Amino acid sequence: MARTYPVSLVLKDKRAVVVGGGSVATRKVLGLLECEALVSVVAPAVSPRLRELVDGVRCTWRAKPYETADLDEADIVFAATDDEDGNRRVYDDATAARLMVNVADRPEVCTFFLPSVLRRGKLSIAVSTEGASPLSARRIREDMEGRYGEEYGAYLELLASWRPRVSAALPPERHFAFWEQASHGRLLALVAEGRADEAEAVLESLLS
């Protein structure tokens, strides 16, 4: 199998077609809605949880078997049925239309893989085995959860809020030195301890 190219996709307001209505499809839909995608579910029946997600706006449901035309407005495609032949048809149709497609539990018919993701605000740590062992990816991600706590969310929000000010105050050649010092562990430690004012003071001193 060819090597993959890791990337984070911006799916806000992009049309994601999910073929299938079971538990796997439900997980796909939940992840897509978190990224503000527009989700179209195609399946004769869906799980109770998935039915709750259908609102007719961000998430719609076509209660019928899959047809090629269901991909007409798609930007990205997910096949998550328990019918291998049906999943293969979705893959064939998607690739013919030059669409990225993921087929659940079938790495040999995927053009991209879904990693196991740890999120802490703006921090995303993705672990992928390129489809070889999703369970191993999940266990590695779980192992990292204790090492990267919720403080990273507040820490990165703080750094993000300072980016415009640093860009305006310092010449480009000094940006790297500032951010190198700002990303030192002491700032993170202050945020973790709830000492936001002191963290701001550290950034003020670095800027001056």
Side-chain angles (χ1 to χ4, degrees), residues 32-52:
L32 289 164
L33 290 176
E34 287 179 359
C35 296
E36 301 182 70
L38 299 172
V39 182
S40 294
V41 178
V42 182
V46 297
S47 70
R49 179 67 181 110
L50 184 46
R51 187 184 291 270
E52 292 174 357

Side-chain angles (χ1 to χ4, degrees), residues 29-97:
V29 171
L30 282 166
L32 289 164
L33 290 176
E34 287 179 359
C35 296
E36 301 182 70
L38 299 172
V39 182
S40 294
V41 178
V42 182
V46 297
S47 70
R49 179 67 181 110
L50 184 46
R51 187 184 291 270
E52 292 174 357
L53 298 173
V54 175
D55 62 4
V57 181
R58 305 299 304 187
C59 183
T60 59
W61 172 30
R62 303 173 191 175
K64 66 178 188 63
Y66 166 78
E67 298 174 288
T68 303
D70 290 318
L71 304 187
D72 284 351
E73 297 181 0
D75 293 303
I76 192 169
V77 181
F78 299 80
T81 78
D82 56 7
D83 177 1
E84 289 197 19
D85 290 338
N87 284 344
R88 182 64 193 228
R89 181 186 169 195
V90 175
Y91 169 81
D92 289 341
D93 290 343
T95 52

Side-chain angles (χ1 to χ4, degrees), residues 119-141:
R119 295 189 187 277
R120 297 289 188 250
K122 293 183 180 298
L123 174 65
S124 296
I125 301 176
V127 182
S128 173
T129 59
E130 299 188 353
S133 176
L135 181 58
S136 294
R138 189 183 79 184
R139 286 176 172 164
I140 293 170
R141 184 260 300 165

